[in-house]
Amino acid sequence: MFDILEADIVVMQETKIQRKDLQDDMVLVPGWDCYFSLPKYKKGYSGVAIYTRQSSCAPIRAEEGVTGVLCLPGSSTSYLDLPEDECIGGYPTCDQLSRSPVDAATLDSEGRCLILEFPAFVLIGVYSPATRDQSRDEFRLGFLNALDARIRNLVAEGKRVVLTGDMNVVREEIDMANVEEQMRKYGMTGEFVSMPSRRILNQLLVGGKVISGRDEGREQSVMWDICRAFHEGRKGMFTHWEQKINARPGNFGSRIDYVLCSYDMRDWFCESNIQEGLLGSDHCPVYAVIKDSIRLGDSEVNISDLVNPCGTFKDGKRLKAYSAKDLLALSAKLIPEFDRRRNIRDMFARKLSLVLETGKDSSALDNSNGSSPQGPADERGTAGDEFATPPQTQELNSSSTHEGSSRSSMGLNKSQATKRPATEASSSKPSKRSKPMGTQQLTGKGQQSLKGFFKPKAPVSDGNKTGSTTDTIGLAIPSGDAASDRDPPSSPLRQASTTTMQPASPPSKLCLTHRESSVEGKGDTGEQGDWAADEGTEIHDPIVAKESWSILFSKRHPPKCEGHDEHCIRLTTKKPGVNCGRAFWICPR
């Protein structure tokens, strides 16, 4: 999936999962960090997720909810009560929240907002309530009012804001097919843009249509509609279609998904559009591409320096490797079920020391704690291996590959593994039984590593040749800064809004697949040397893309009973104890 989106930040809405539904391939995605906002009470309802590529960007703070009344995992202190240097800020005041009869805790109970702060901007991923019936109007308008207040407060504090997600609000008439019919269907009267939800959105956007004056506290517009700015007057630029009437083939839809930014960030972006060709959902992704270099004041600053913690990048070059210590408290990888664990693919990962080239000389960088790359393991245990930069994942030739993943085969010299020092055998240890003299003795060295188990046996040479110090093996390595950056998580995620970092040079169609347009402004050659693999042009089949999106978070097929060859049934343990709530398969007989 990430290969198709070609992004460094992926924001997804309406995940419709609970915490117990999270699986390894959703959370332990090599090369990516992830954050989830899940509904507190309603099961399988709403939900927002954000994935960030560790090699390109790393947030410095993360929060859940729009009002600030929620707490960090394992803490009883709300974001609102945290010190100023530990919170994102901009929380709606009591006066701003008084516009809605819905209390703040209820507004944040449905998992509709995730906020990540980068040094350059604050990213807000939202899934706004939809217009279903009048019973939800108060909640819907209360959420939009709180979101509007949070954005305005952040801008007033001098912070830049990027708002992306499913707003469930049509901005203007051009953003909906057959406006008159839709207004009659939903019983709308009066001006189209005067509906309460559209009025809030248009007062927030620069250039938005506002009738009968502005509301108190909304005198100034602070956000910029990036996609519409690149495509002024474009009709039919819809992002949502009703599945019940099969409206997508005829493009009978509406534009309710946006990527917005602060007005002073409008020059940061070089491209924005919709990806209506990606099937598998009733929505299509919306993306925006940030330039490689940003002008701040009188100087040009590389975007890598602005979307990573201080000291991680300098002039677009990485100075410090990403490690498990950089994880934020809200990261899904710190959930007890996934903490100190890693993906099965990482067990076969080859990790390289990060190299900094200074002139003609190059030297390995130290870790953040000052230890060498060969020093003691990270204090988080094996989880530290997952964030080594850049990792190189070795895929066995006999293993199957995921759909959409770009792979190329190349030959690499594999240095012989350093053997452990031999220890003298204890005299008290019983000796092994010797083999009969008639048994033929093998001349090979036997299995030297786990990888050797999968290697084909080489024919025994007739001559008395000695083993060389290196041997060449064929490896299938995913192209990219990290070998497993391209492994998509199997998730029931419906729609994605993406933000992509682009290099100064014009990228090709598969620029991010080849990692030539990462936020660092470097390709594979600059950071990995001979480990990079060039790939040919990859063609994405829309049918294959639709199938891959359709199986995300799909229910697993029940296994068959070994004794009766019948499909098992799934039961849940209700007896109090450690197994309470866990599901298991059992024979239907």
Side-chain angles (χ1 to χ4, degrees):
M1 182 183 66
F2 290 161
D3 283 341
I4 299 175
L5 297 177
E6 300 180 353
D8 298 299
I9 303 176
V10 180
V11 184
M12 303 181 181
Q13 298 83 38
E14 202 173 1
T15 55
K16 290 186 176 182
I17 58 173
Q18 305 175 58
R19 175 171 167 175
K20 67 180 183 62
D21 298 322
L22 293 175
Q23 302 176 9
D24 289 2
D25 49 4
M26 303 175 196
V27 177
L28 303 179
V29 184
W32 291 79
D33 198 5
C34 55
Y35 306 85
F36 290 89
S37 179
L38 307 176
K40 302 297 183 292
Y41 307 109
K42 294 186 178 182
K43 299 180 179 179
Y45 186 76
S46 63
V48 179
I50 299 181
Y51 285 80
T52 59
R53 192 188 300 274
Q54 296 164 353
S55 61
S56 302
C57 54
I60 57 177
R61 297 180 186 89
E63 294 183 5
E64 180 183 7
V66 66
T67 63
V69 298
L70 300 181
C71 304
L72 278 170
S75 174
S76 58
T77 304
S78 64
Y79 299 112
L80 192 61
D81 298 328
L82 291 175
E84 292 185 3
D85 57 344
E86 297 180 12
C87 64
I88 296 178
Y91 306 106
T93 62
C94 295
D95 293 338
Q96 292 172 326
L97 292 176
S98 63
R99 297 180 178 180
S100 171
V102 183
D103 62 283
T106 303
L107 292 176
D108 284 340
S109 65
E110 296 186 358
R112 294 185 174 274
C113 182
L114 266 178
I115 304 179
L116 302 184
E117 182 177 6
F118 299 86
F121 54 84
V122 176
L123 173 66
I124 304 178
V126 297
Y127 171 49
S128 178
T131 303
R132 300 301 180 192
D133 52 58
Q134 295 182 354
S135 62
R136 294 277 291 175
D137 285 349
E138 289 184 352
F139 183 90
R140 171 180 168 83
L141 295 178
F143 182 87
L144 292 175
N145 278 318
L147 180 63
D148 176 83
R150 183 73 182 269
I151 294 173
R152 292 180 180 276
N153 293 347
L154 287 170
V155 174
E157 293 179 0
K159 295 186 177 182
R160 307 178 189 90
V161 179
V162 175
L163 174 66
T164 177
D166 182 358
M167 295 292 293
N168 269 313
V169 179
V170 178
R171 176 182 171 183
E172 298 176 0
E173 293 88 343
I174 194 176
D175 298 314
M176 175 179 283
N178 202 342
V179 177
E180 294 79 7
E181 180 181 344
Q182 296 296 318
M183 292 183 65
R184 288 195 301 267
K185 177 181 177 181
Y186 292 102
M188 302 177 185
T189 58
E191 293 289 342
F192 181 78
V193 296
S194 295
M195 301 302 296
S197 57
R198 294 189 185 92
R199 183 175 175 83
I200 294 175
L201 179 61
N202 279 287
Q203 289 183 96
L204 184 67
L205 294 175
V206 175
K209 294 183 179 179
V210 181
I211 300 177
S212 302
R214 291 179 172 269
D215 299 337
E216 182 182 356
R218 296 171 180 160
E219 293 81 8
Q220 184 179 3
S221 300
V222 296
M223 299 297 287
W224 182 254
D225 190 347
I226 305 174
C227 194
R228 178 54 72 188
F230 279 95
H231 305 277
E232 293 186 31
R234 174 181 169 185
K235 298 182 179 180
M237 190 172 63
F238 304 140
T239 63
H240 172 259
W241 304 265
E242 284 289 344
Q243 288 183 324
K244 295 180 181 179
I245 60 175
N246 194 24
R248 189 161 189 170
N251 196 26
F252 190 84
S254 57
R255 187 172 78 103
I256 59 177
D257 305 277
Y258 303 88
V259 179
L260 313 177
C261 71
S262 298
Y263 185 68
D264 58 351
M265 289 182 63
R266 63 190 184 280
D267 296 331
W268 287 31
F269 296 87
C270 60
E271 181 185 354
S272 181
N273 207 339
I274 63 174
Q275 294 178 299
E276 67 276 17
L278 290 183
L279 306 178
S281 170
D282 58 343
H283 288 247
C284 76
V286 185
Y287 72 90
V289 183
I290 300 180
K291 297 178 182 178
D292 182 61
S293 297
I294 305 299
R295 174 167 290 278
L296 294 179
D298 298 331
S299 60
E300 291 282 341
V301 182
N302 193 284
I303 188 62
S304 303
D305 303 349
L306 301 177
V307 293
N308 286 278
C310 181
T312 304
F313 277 84
K314 183 177 182 181
D315 298 331
K317 296 182 179 180
R318 180 175 286 274
L319 303 179
K320 185 178 67 173
Y322 191 92
S323 67
K325 295 180 180 179
D326 297 322
L327 287 176
L328 301 179
L330 195 61
S331 172
K333 293 190 175 182
L334 295 183
I335 296 177
E337 296 91 323
F338 305 100
D339 191 15
R340 304 193 181 186
R341 292 181 53 202
R342 55 178 180 168
N343 192 285
I344 186 67
R345 295 179 181 271
D346 295 333
M347 297 182 181
F348 299 93
R350 177 192 295 271
K351 292 161 288 290
L352 297 179
S353 300
L354 183 64
V355 177
L356 174 64
E357 295 183 359
T358 306
K360 297 182 180 180
D361 299 333
S362 61
S363 59
L365 294 179
D366 293 338
N367 294 334
S368 58
N369 57 1
S371 60
S372 63
Q374 286 77 20
D378 190 88
E379 64 181 4
R380 302 198 64 83
T382 57
D385 296 340
E386 181 177 350
F387 309 101
T389 303
Q392 297 292 337
T393 304
Q394 304 176 4
E395 295 293 340
L396 304 176
N397 294 332
S398 60
S399 62
S400 61
T401 60
H402 289 280
E403 294 182 4
S405 60
S406 302
R407 303 184 182 277
S408 61
S409 181
M410 60 183 296
L412 298 175
N413 289 331
K414 181 194 70 174
S415 301
Q416 187 178 17
T418 306
K419 298 181 178 180
R420 291 178 294 181
T423 57
E424 298 181 0
S426 174
S427 57
S428 61
K429 185 176 181 180
S431 60
K432 296 182 179 180
R433 181 185 302 176
S434 60
K435 295 183 179 181
M437 296 299 296
T439 305
Q440 182 180 2
Q441 300 293 334
L442 299 177
T443 58
K445 294 184 179 181
Q447 181 179 330
Q448 300 294 320
S449 63
L450 177 61
K451 192 187 306 178
F453 177 80
F454 300 95
K455 292 176 58 179
K457 295 183 179 180
V460 180
S461 157
D462 294 338
N464 297 329
K465 297 181 180 180
T466 59
S468 59
T469 57
T470 61
D471 58 344
T472 303
I473 60 174
L475 303 177
I477 299 185
S479 64
D481 187 66
S484 53
D485 275 4
R486 306 300 180 193
D487 295 330
S490 298
S491 56
L493 307 174
R494 189 199 66 181
Q495 178 265 341
S497 302
T498 63
T499 303
T500 307
M501 314 302 177
Q502 188 201 30
S505 60
S508 62
K509 174 105 169 71
L510 298 178
C511 56
L512 290 181
T513 301
H514 292 280
R515 300 302 297 126
E516 295 173 355
S517 64
S518 66
V519 69
E520 305 166 37
K522 299 188 293 186
D524 284 334
T525 305
E527 191 166 335
Q528 298 182 5
D530 295 334
W531 287 81
D534 294 332
E535 293 183 329
T537 302
E538 180 181 355
I539 301 176
H540 296 295
D541 189 347
I543 299 179
V544 176
K546 179 178 180 180
E547 292 178 354
S548 60
W549 277 81
S550 299
I551 63 176
L552 297 179
F553 283 92
S554 59
K555 294 184 178 180
R556 295 183 176 180
H557 296 288
K560 289 187 177 182
C561 173
E562 297 180 358
H564 307 100
D565 197 27
E566 297 178 1
H567 288 289
C568 297
I569 59 176
R570 181 173 178 175
L571 300 179
T572 304
T573 305
K574 297 183 179 179
K575 182 179 179 180
V578 294
N579 293 324
C580 182
R582 293 188 176 183
F584 60 92
W585 299 103
I586 191 171
C587 177
R589 298 190 182 183

